[in-house]
Amino acid sequence: MDRALAVLSQIEEDAKKVKPTDVEKEVDLEYDIGLLLASDPNPLDHDALHSADRDGYLQRLARDNCQLLFNRLYQLPTQTKDDVTTVNLPAAQLRIPREKPAPKPKPLTKWEEYAKAKGISRNKKGKKIWDTELKRWVPRYGAKKAQADREKNWVMEVPANVDPNTDMFAKAAEKKRERVAKNELQRLRNVKRNMKVPTVGVTPKDVTKSSTSELTEAAALARRSTASLGKFSQRLPRDAPTKERGKRRQFAPAVGDTRGEVRGQLELLQNLGRKEKGAVVDTEKAANRLIHQEQRERAASKEDKPKKGGKKRWIPNTKKGEKQKKAIAKKAGKGRKGAKGR
Amino acid sequence: MTINCESSIGENIRLLLERPDGLYCFRLHKDRVYYMSEALMRHALSFPRHALISVGTCFGKFTKSGKFHLHVTALEFLAPYAQHKIWLKASMEQQFLYGHHVLKSGLARVTENTAKYQGVVVYNMKDVPLGFGAAAKSTAECRHADPTAIVAFHQADIGQYIRSEDTLT
């Protein structure tokens, strides 16, 4: 009896230590169990907040809300595995914004762009192909396909226009290698097109699209960017020599030896005004003669040209018309003869 | 001094620098060339560069591509020393002062041995200097040109004192 009482009293004491699991709230909380989120819309007790026991009030409030959240958690179906109880959280209902920026769509390859523009869609191809010669299903690619090809091409004809000693098998293999290499090249080109090379400062992002001046500027800058400012940078044999960089315009000081400055300027003038030695030809006379000659030639060529007939007359194909034609021919003949005579 | 200026005055330029009444000098300020006495130049040194607008007389300016353009303000200094001159008829005088080029019909006289594109000083019939120009044709070519051909390109004229009053320095 005493022992039973002792146990009961122990239980009571224990129960008092632990706070009750039921919590009464005016308004129920809003739960998002998937995110382990519980939001309490109940208004805060202002008296308690401004009292001395503010911390205690807030702690009790937090404890109560946590208890309610845990109550909900315990309502979910549990699974035990190796002494560990787990609970499957449902999907989150609240949409949280992205942590990182959204991934950009992969850039289309050259073929894909073309296909999109033309409206060509991909035909889904099967893995095996029916081979009419071998009369069985042959895979489209792979070792079994290569085997089937060898079976089919156990002999290869040498066409008439080719040297009879050529190895047709070797040629076929070579062609295949070329095709593979071309495909690889195009794939790499696609990759290169879309690959973003990290560039700093002046270096252009796309080398193929930048102008010569941009590239030379970048190269010059790279050459200069050493501890010794490019003094010992080796230049490539085909590089163009760079322009000397430094002060482009040198100005003499404003106030200085004015007399000396005047003297220097007058000397400079002397050197400028000096006439060329040995100028024997009188350019004026020569120019005059040439112009006169040109004018005479022009005048002479004008006289030689036959006079263009002013109006074109339609002459009928009759006796009268023939008379008119003869008269005109006579006139023209006279004119020409006259000119030649001179 | 530049070739352009020199070609229009020739060796008489030294008279600009070797003056009896003191030392004169040329100074470049903000792409413009100014001619001033040495005393004035020393006074001008006390001004900060951005505050100084003009000193002495502006002879001309250097363009962005390095060419030198003579301004009309240099006329009174350069006209007495001109070696190649063009005299205009009264009819052409007004046209030139409005900024047009000189046509053959307006040309009264040209000094001998004027080369093509030579800098010239333009005068009117009363020997009043009107401005600067560049001969479009040599003297010989001028004689054979037709009346509507341009014989001298206009570069600066005294009409600019009224037309471009606010832009002259």
Side-chain angles (χ1 to χ4, degrees):
Chain A
M1 240 340 244
D2 286 331
R3 264 201 83 198
L5 270 171
V7 168
L8 277 169
S9 62
Q10 184 71 35
I11 290 169
E12 262 186 63
E13 275 178 45
D14 285 340
K16 273 183 196 161
K17 278 187 203 161
V18 181
K19 286 173 195 139
T21 54
D22 320 315
V23 178
E24 278 215 9
K25 287 273 185 180
E26 282 173 15
V27 185
D28 280 335
L29 270 57
E30 288 161 9
Y31 299 97
D32 189 348
I33 303 297
L35 291 172
L36 293 176
L37 174 75
S39 27
D40 183 5
N42 290 303
L44 291 165
D45 186 1
H46 274 273
D47 297 333
L49 271 180
H50 295 294
S51 71
D53 189 27
R54 187 175 68 190
D55 288 337
Y57 166 68
L58 288 171
Q59 218 171 353
R60 267 170 276 142
L61 184 65
R63 188 250 134 212
D64 286 343
N65 287 335
C66 271
Q67 181 66 64
L68 286 168
L69 179 63
F70 270 89
N71 291 346
R72 277 295 180 98
L73 273 178
Y74 274 95
Q75 282 169 11
L76 292 171
T78 56
Q79 297 160 352
T80 9
K81 200 177 176 184
D82 300 337
D83 298 339
V84 175
T85 327
T86 53
V87 141
N88 267 349
L89 290 177
Q93 284 160 349
L94 193 71
R95 287 188 74 182
I96 304 174
R98 277 182 153 273
E99 181 198 338
K100 296 207 170 78
K104 284 175 205 130
K106 226 167 44 162
L108 297 171
T109 60
K110 236 172 145 192
W111 164 253
E112 278 169 2
E113 280 174 13
Y114 178 77
K116 203 171 159 190
K118 289 275 186 170
I120 303 169
S121 55
R122 294 203 82 171
N123 300 337
K124 190 88 182 172
K125 296 174 187 169
K127 199 165 170 190
K128 296 211 194 239
I129 252 186
W130 174 254
D131 198 301
T132 43
E133 285 178 27
L134 299 172
K135 300 234 172 44
R136 62 167 197 268
W137 288 97
V138 174
R140 187 181 284 280
Y141 49 83
K144 297 234 169 79
K145 185 225 179 202
Q147 195 188 64
D149 275 347
R150 259 178 277 134
E151 275 184 52
K152 280 201 285 183
N153 299 334
W154 60 275
V155 62
M156 286 183 90
E157 284 177 22
V158 179
N161 54 346
V162 171
D163 175 29
N165 290 331
T166 50
D167 185 359
M168 294 304 289
F169 291 104
K171 262 180 83 176
E174 171 106 22
K175 282 215 180 87
K176 169 121 193 187
R177 247 180 282 133
E178 278 173 19
R179 266 181 281 136
V180 168
K182 180 181 170 221
N183 192 12
E184 183 66 17
L185 174 78
Q186 288 180 325
R187 182 185 76 85
L188 288 173
R189 230 191 287 155
N190 272 328
V191 166
K192 181 209 142 205
R193 259 171 92 227
N194 304 321
M195 187 170 73
K196 298 226 157 72
V197 180
T199 53
V200 179
V202 176
T203 27
K205 288 210 183 269
D206 191 353
V207 175
T208 47
K209 283 181 191 154
S210 38
S211 63
T212 324
S213 56
E214 281 177 27
L215 290 172
T216 45
E217 178 64 35
L221 206 89
R223 199 176 299 122
R224 278 207 298 282
S225 312
T226 57
S228 50
L229 296 176
K231 207 163 139 190
F232 304 108
S233 298
Q234 283 176 338
R235 221 170 278 153
L236 296 170
R238 279 198 296 173
D239 257 356
T242 46
K243 285 182 244 178
E244 287 304 313
R245 286 180 175 267
K247 270 196 172 171
R248 275 173 226 154
R249 291 178 86 179
Q250 298 279 357
F251 292 109
V255 188
D257 181 15
T258 324
R259 248 177 248 280
E261 183 193 315
V262 165
R263 222 181 306 127
Q265 284 178 344
L266 291 173
E267 267 181 37
L268 180 74
L269 272 171
Q270 260 193 334
N271 291 336
L272 281 174
R274 211 176 279 157
K275 288 204 176 119
E276 284 175 43
K277 289 181 188 170
V280 182
V281 179
D282 186 358
T283 44
E284 278 281 334
K285 229 179 182 179
N288 271 337
R289 247 188 228 162
L290 188 68
I291 290 166
H292 187 59
Q293 193 183 2
E294 277 174 9
Q295 284 187 328
R296 257 200 307 175
E297 279 173 7
R298 242 181 283 152
S301 64
K302 266 188 189 167
E303 287 174 14
D304 276 344
K305 250 196 267 179
K307 276 190 190 157
K308 283 183 185 171
K311 295 177 193 166
K312 279 205 169 165
R313 299 172 80 192
W314 175 76
I315 300 162
N317 211 356
T318 53
K319 268 193 185 171
K320 194 179 179 188
E322 280 176 17
K323 274 191 190 172
Q324 281 180 340
K325 276 192 209 166
K326 274 187 190 168
I328 289 167
K330 240 189 177 178
K331 264 192 185 172
K334 260 191 185 171
R336 273 199 207 107
K337 275 186 190 165
K340 275 188 186 169
R342 276 177 221 157
Chain B
M1 279 302 262
T2 60
I3 306 288
N4 188 356
C5 204
E6 193 273 345
S7 63
S8 67
I9 325 170
E11 288 174 1
N12 295 328
I13 280 177
R14 56 182 59 251
L15 291 161
L16 273 177
L17 290 168
E18 283 174 344
R19 280 169 70 149
D21 58 337
L23 277 175
Y24 280 75
C25 60
F26 291 94
R27 284 290 177 267
L28 181 71
H29 175 65
K30 282 190 191 174
D31 288 342
R32 281 173 203 260
V33 174
Y34 295 97
Y35 176 70
M36 66 198 85
S37 64
E38 201 209 340
L40 186 63
M41 185 257 293
R42 282 176 194 276
H43 283 306
L45 288 173
S46 52
F47 289 95
R49 214 171 282 166
H50 61 91
L52 192 66
I53 296 174
S54 173
V55 197
T57 21
C58 175
F59 261 46
K61 77 172 206 189
F62 281 100
T63 60
K64 294 269 191 264
S65 54
K67 295 196 179 82
F68 185 71
H69 283 173
L70 260 183
H71 282 192
V72 70
T73 38
L75 188 61
E76 58 172 312
F77 292 98
L78 298 181
Y81 310 126
Q83 281 191 336
H84 298 281
K85 306 175 192 178
I86 277 182
W87 283 265
L88 297 183
K89 292 182 192 162
S91 54
M92 195 63 220
E93 196 184 318
Q94 269 293 307
Q95 289 294 307
F96 184 73
L97 289 176
Y98 277 125
H100 299 295
H101 298 303
V102 177
L103 304 179
K104 168 78 192 295
S105 53
L107 187 72
R109 244 164 74 202
V110 167
T111 45
E112 279 292 328
N113 295 326
T114 312
K116 202 171 179 184
Y117 308 128
Q118 175 105 42
V120 292
V121 179
V122 179
Y123 289 84
N124 74 350
M125 289 319 290
K126 298 196 180 101
D127 273 335
V128 174
L130 295 176
F132 295 115
K137 295 189 189 317
S138 63
T139 318
E141 281 179 6
C142 275
R143 289 201 201 103
H144 303 281
D146 40 300
T148 54
I150 295 174
V151 292
F153 299 118
H154 165 281
Q155 281 177 350
D157 66 274
I158 50 179
Q160 279 174 341
Y161 281 115
I162 299 167
R163 288 197 329 263
S164 16
E165 194 180 339
D166 35 359
T167 52
L168 279 180
T169 37

